[in-house]
Amino acid sequence: MGGTVTAVSSNGTYSFTKPNRESVTLLAGLGVEGDVHAGTTVKHRFRMEKDPSQPNLRQVHLIHEELFDEVREAGFEVAAGQLGENVTTRGIDLLGLPTGTRLRLGTAAVVEVTGLRNPCAQIDTFRKGLLKQVVGRGEDGRARFRSGIMGVVLVGGVVRPGDGVTVELPDGPHRPLEVV
């Protein structure tokens, strides 16, 4: 099971969107070099207000490019990096992966999936009405977040558009993704 990296993005300042880059360097235990969310403890502003000593389970944000295709059909134009992700992929059901899945990005980097990104009101500030497109309902009626997944860097390395992504599932039983 695998896919492709279609874009990489980072931003050294707090901003909803992140500019695309030719490459990003993932640093073990920290995240994306030079990105405002890199660090061993939480860097998300809201979470820092609650408890700045929490471990950073959101070092890398990944989104499946197929989401952009889906929201485009609903009339929303969204491109890689515009929802704040660091790595955009194609060909992998990111939302269907279990917690603890390891993603090999390119030749060296390894990211361990920690959970779902919870979509926030900034998505509607970016494109009014888009939040409804990335929050769906499952068959059980519960909210289903579709705005990507989060992970921590286990092994660092350079990641570029066009790099392969290899999925390594954890030993069972698998735990479904929850918001981190």
Side-chain angles (χ1 to χ4, degrees):
M1 179 175 10
T4 305
V5 173
T6 59
V8 293
S9 311
S10 66
N11 199 339
T13 60
Y14 283 104
S15 172
F16 183 68
T17 62
K18 296 186 180 198
N20 295 154
R21 308 287 183 194
E22 289 183 16
S23 68
V24 293
T25 301
L26 302 186
L27 303 173
L30 295 174
V32 179
E33 182 177 47
D35 192 82
V36 70
H37 292 103
T40 57
T41 56
V42 68
K43 300 299 176 200
H44 185 277
R45 284 194 227 185
F46 176 75
R47 286 173 166 69
M48 285 175 26
E49 287 177 15
K50 288 179 135 182
D51 179 4
S53 67
Q54 299 175 67
N56 188 2
L57 302 178
R58 302 166 56 96
Q59 294 174 359
V60 180
H61 176 198
L62 301 97
I63 281 186
H64 53 295
E65 189 175 56
E66 291 86 348
L67 177 65
F68 304 150
D69 299 337
E70 292 172 27
V71 300
R72 188 174 300 112
E73 290 178 16
F76 296 91
E77 198 59 42
V78 179
Q82 290 186 320
L83 294 182
E85 77 276 9
N86 301 112
V87 178
T88 309
T89 67
R90 184 166 282 282
I92 300 172
D93 177 13
L94 295 177
L95 302 176
L97 298 173
T99 302
T101 298
R102 292 183 178 189
L103 301 173
R104 293 193 175 276
L105 307 171
T107 59
V110 179
V111 172
E112 184 173 298
V113 177
T114 55
L116 293 169
R117 176 217 187 169
N118 56 323
C120 65
Q122 287 184 320
I123 293 175
D124 262 357
T125 303
F126 171 68
R127 297 272 193 277
K128 188 162 180 56
L130 183 58
L131 184 60
K132 275 188 166 182
Q133 298 298 314
V134 298
V135 177
R137 294 279 171 203
E139 291 179 14
D140 60 1
R142 294 178 57 201
R144 186 169 167 253
F145 299 142
R146 302 177 337 116
S147 58
I149 63 172
M150 308 304 284
V152 294
V153 181
L154 297 181
V155 178
V158 175
V159 181
R160 295 177 178 84
D163 282 349
V165 180
T166 304
V167 176
E168 297 176 0
L169 297 174
D171 293 336
H174 292 165
R175 292 179 299 134
L177 297 176
E178 295 181 12
V179 171
V180 293

